[in-house]
């Protein structure tokens, strides 16, 4: 079983507003990311047994803020779990929220930033297929020599993820074991995210 965790509980101080609620391709920034993961889950339902894919979202607003009525219905239909976290939390605590209620058959956990609008169904599905095929310690998307998200962590690293503190993130663990990375080469556009008004406008112009 693989769990996708969408990280959407940050403060977005550089944007000056809730960037995850900004319009994006007929919905919102976060709605696009969640919808992309759901499309991948739907694609794999016939390939892997039911229950082998999970989606957790850790967000500072209720799901109705970001998802349409139809989107929210689909999210719940496919077993999505929305963890509402209105108060600011250190990154390590947010990661911990994404690791609640893990099943015994967990293989890997993937963490995706809620503002990563560059994530595509095709590339995410290809990464997932590599994870099921090789069961790596870490599946790390690479654009040239640059690593990015989503990184898949094998379940054996859950204790180390839970031991993170403060603003420590998964990179702390990745950097301990660079020789264990399975690198999967992707287009640089996969890593596009929204951090500033200028970045958002530039991505709107490209879309």
């Amino acid at each position: 079983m693989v769990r996708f965790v969408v990280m959407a509980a940050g403060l977005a101080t550089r944007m000056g507003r809730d960037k995850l609620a900004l319009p994006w391709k007929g919905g919102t920034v976060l709605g696009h990311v969640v919808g992309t993961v759901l499309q991948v889950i739907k694609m794999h339902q016939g390939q892997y047994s039911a229950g082998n894919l999970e989606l957790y979202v850790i967000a500072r607003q209720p799901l109705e803020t970001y998802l349409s009525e139809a989107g929210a219905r689909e999210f719940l239909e496919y077993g999505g779990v929305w963890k509402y976290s209105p108060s600011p939390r250190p990154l390590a605590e947010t990661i911990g929220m994404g690791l609640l209620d893990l099943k015994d058959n967990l293989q890997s956990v993937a963490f995706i930033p809620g503002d990563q609008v560059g994530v595509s169904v095709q590339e995410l599905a290809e990464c997932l297929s590599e994870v099921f095929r090789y069961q790596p310690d870490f599946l790390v998307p690479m654009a040239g020599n640059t690593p990015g998200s989503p990184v898949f962590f094998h379940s054996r690293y859950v204790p180390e993820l839970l031991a993170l503190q403060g603003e420590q993130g998964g990179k702390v663990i990745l950097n301990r074991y660079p020789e264990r990375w399975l690198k999967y080469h992707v287009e640089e556009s996969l890593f596009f995210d929204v951090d500033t008004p200028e970045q958002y406008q530039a991505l709107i112009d490209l879309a």
Side-chain angles (χ1 to χ4, degrees):
M1 188 268 283
V2 172
R3 175 180 291 185
F4 292 98
V5 179
V6 178
M7 306 284 283
L11 291 174
T13 54
R14 283 183 288 176
M15 180 61 70
R17 56 183 292 194
D18 185 357
K19 62 182 178 180
L20 302 177
L22 291 171
W24 186 263
K25 295 187 176 181
T28 65
V29 166
L30 180 54
H32 172 76
V33 175
V34 171
T36 299
V37 179
L38 281 175
Q39 283 296 110
V40 172
I41 290 175
K42 290 166 66 176
M43 285 173 57
H44 284 77
Q45 284 299 300
Q47 187 173 357
Y48 305 111
S49 62
N52 263 11
L53 297 169
E54 293 185 333
L55 173 55
Y56 271 52
V57 179
I58 317 302
R60 295 191 63 206
Q61 300 293 336
L63 80 168
E64 294 84 1
T65 304
Y66 307 107
L67 304 184
S68 65
E69 184 176 338
R73 185 166 56 248
E74 184 176 57
F75 177 81
L76 297 173
E77 177 185 346
Y78 281 89
V81 176
W82 195 278
K83 292 291 185 180
Y84 178 39
S85 177
S87 300
R89 292 175 181 269
L91 178 58
E93 287 190 19
T94 305
I95 290 172
M97 288 185 69
L99 297 174
L100 294 171
D101 306 317
L102 295 175
K103 295 184 174 64
D104 291 338
N105 66 338
L106 177 73
Q107 177 186 319
S108 297
V109 181
F111 294 93
I112 307 177
D115 66 343
Q116 191 173 329
V117 293
V119 67
S120 71
V121 171
Q122 178 180 344
E123 288 182 305
L124 185 57
E126 289 171 355
C127 288
L128 179 63
S129 294
E130 292 290 287
V131 168
F132 276 118
R133 183 177 296 117
Y134 297 109
Q135 301 187 31
D137 284 42
F138 308 98
L139 185 288
V140 184
M142 302 286 297
N145 294 319
T146 303
S149 299
V151 173
F152 292 75
F153 293 78
H154 194 279
S155 60
R156 66 175 61 96
Y157 296 98
V158 167
E160 292 184 55
L161 287 165
L162 290 172
L164 295 170
Q165 297 184 0
E167 291 302 322
Q168 289 181 324
K171 287 182 181 179
V172 172
I173 298 166
L174 281 177
N175 291 337
R176 290 174 188 160
Y177 310 103
E179 74 284 358
R180 301 182 187 179
W181 295 14
L182 174 61
K183 298 177 181 179
Y184 189 76
H185 293 282
V186 297
E187 296 296 325
E188 184 179 4
S189 58
L190 178 73
F191 301 155
F192 287 173
D193 60 10
V194 178
D195 281 327
T196 66
E198 293 77 18
Q199 278 184 329
Y200 175 64
Q201 187 56 54
L203 289 170
I204 288 289
D205 293 342
L206 284 174

